[in-house]
């Protein structure tokens, strides 16, 4: 083995094929044959024609598949809209039921039960199944009545005014109370222009 000197230039040997045709195709090219080229062209045209015929046959099937897919999508969208509408209706029904329950319980102690229904968060009294938490409503109504005692129902029974003797003509200490007949006579005399 010869020693290599690092200071000497190294010859790079390029590996080029001796025949350029071997590099391009790997084999020598055959001479052009017109008949063989026309036959290959006819064969390719025939294959293309067959593919076009099959495509024409399959286009209606592809169109039908697209239509079915679109119909399925619209059916799915329609069902989704129906489901959304049913959920909204169910939520409204549950809300109305909770509101009715709150007003029914508030009617026992509140002057206006709708005040209580408006002041409470009605959505917090139902669970996922739609069951109403009656105990929670009662506790919150009692708490609300403590915070707003003026919303309480008035005591049962007829309301009578409490007489105040210090008001009116008899309440003035400098005047003497008049009897009703004397008061009427005074008024009648003033009306007729006479005084007593």
């Amino acid at each position: 083995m010869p020693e290599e000197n690092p200071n000497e230039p190294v010859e790079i040997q390029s590996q080029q094929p001796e025949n350029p045709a071997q590099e391009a195709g790997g084999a020598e090219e055959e001479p052009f044959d017109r008949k063989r080229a026309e036959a290959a062209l006819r064969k390719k045209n025939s294959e293309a024609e067959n593919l076009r015929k099959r495509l024409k046959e399959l286009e209606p099937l592809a169109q039908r598949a697209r239509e079915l897919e679109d119909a399925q999508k619209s059916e799915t969208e329609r069902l989704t809209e129906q489901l959304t509408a049913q959920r909204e209706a169910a939520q409204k029904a549950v809300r109305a039921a909770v509101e009715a329950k709150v007003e029914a319980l508030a009617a026992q102690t509140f002057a206006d039960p709708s005040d209580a229904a408006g002041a409470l968060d009605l959505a917090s009294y139902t669970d996922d199944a739609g069951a109403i938490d009656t105990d929670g409503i009662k506790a919150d109504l009692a708490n609300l009545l403590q915070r707003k005692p003026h919303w309480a129902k008035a005591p049962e029974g007829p309301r009578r005014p409490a007489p105040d003797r210090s008001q009116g003509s008899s309440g003035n200490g400098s005047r003497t109370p008049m009897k009703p007949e004397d008061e009427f006579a005074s008024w009648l005399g003033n009306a007729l222009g006479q005084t007593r």
Side-chain angles (χ1 to χ4, degrees):
M1 207 176 207
E3 289 184 21
E4 293 182 16
N5 188 349
N7 295 333
E8 290 181 17
V10 177
E11 284 185 30
I12 300 177
Q13 297 177 356
S14 63
Q15 297 178 348
Q16 294 181 351
E18 293 178 13
N19 188 355
Q22 286 180 350
E23 182 184 331
E28 288 187 28
E29 286 188 27
E30 296 180 17
F32 179 73
D33 185 7
R34 181 182 174 107
K35 289 182 181 179
R36 215 173 352 168
E38 287 177 353
L41 186 59
R42 278 192 299 273
K43 181 179 176 185
K44 295 292 181 188
N45 284 342
S46 174
E47 289 174 2
E49 181 66 26
N50 288 337
L51 290 174
R52 280 192 292 272
K53 285 180 185 177
R54 287 183 58 197
L55 180 62
K56 284 184 181 180
E57 291 171 358
L58 294 176
E59 276 181 351
L61 293 175
Q63 179 64 28
R64 179 68 180 144
R66 282 191 295 272
E67 289 172 0
L68 288 173
E69 186 176 309
D70 290 342
Q72 182 67 25
K73 281 182 184 176
S74 62
E75 180 71 14
T76 303
E77 290 170 357
R78 185 181 64 81
L79 291 174
T80 302
E81 289 173 4
Q82 284 180 351
L83 178 63
T84 303
Q86 291 297 325
R87 284 183 180 164
E88 289 174 3
Q91 287 174 349
K92 286 180 183 177
V94 168
R95 179 177 169 76
V98 170
E99 185 174 0
K101 187 70 167 182
V102 168
E103 288 183 3
L105 292 172
Q108 299 168 3
T109 54
F110 283 78
D112 186 3
S114 63
D115 288 341
L120 297 177
D121 180 21
L122 301 178
S124 65
Y125 300 114
T126 57
D127 59 9
D128 292 336
I132 299 174
D133 180 16
T134 306
D135 294 333
I137 294 172
K138 287 179 183 178
D140 287 348
L141 285 175
N143 185 17
L144 182 63
L145 201 54
Q146 286 178 352
R147 288 184 289 139
K148 299 188 181 281
H150 58 280
W151 284 4
K153 187 182 274 190
E156 295 291 325
R159 220 176 137 195
R160 293 189 175 147
D164 185 2
R165 300 273 181 213
S166 66
Q167 295 180 350
S169 62
S170 64
N172 191 343
S174 62
R175 294 182 60 184
T176 59
M178 294 180 70
K179 296 181 186 175
E181 57 269 9
D182 290 339
E183 191 175 338
F184 179 69
S186 172
W187 175 79
L188 188 57
N190 284 337
L192 296 174
Q194 302 172 354
T195 57
R196 217 177 184 194

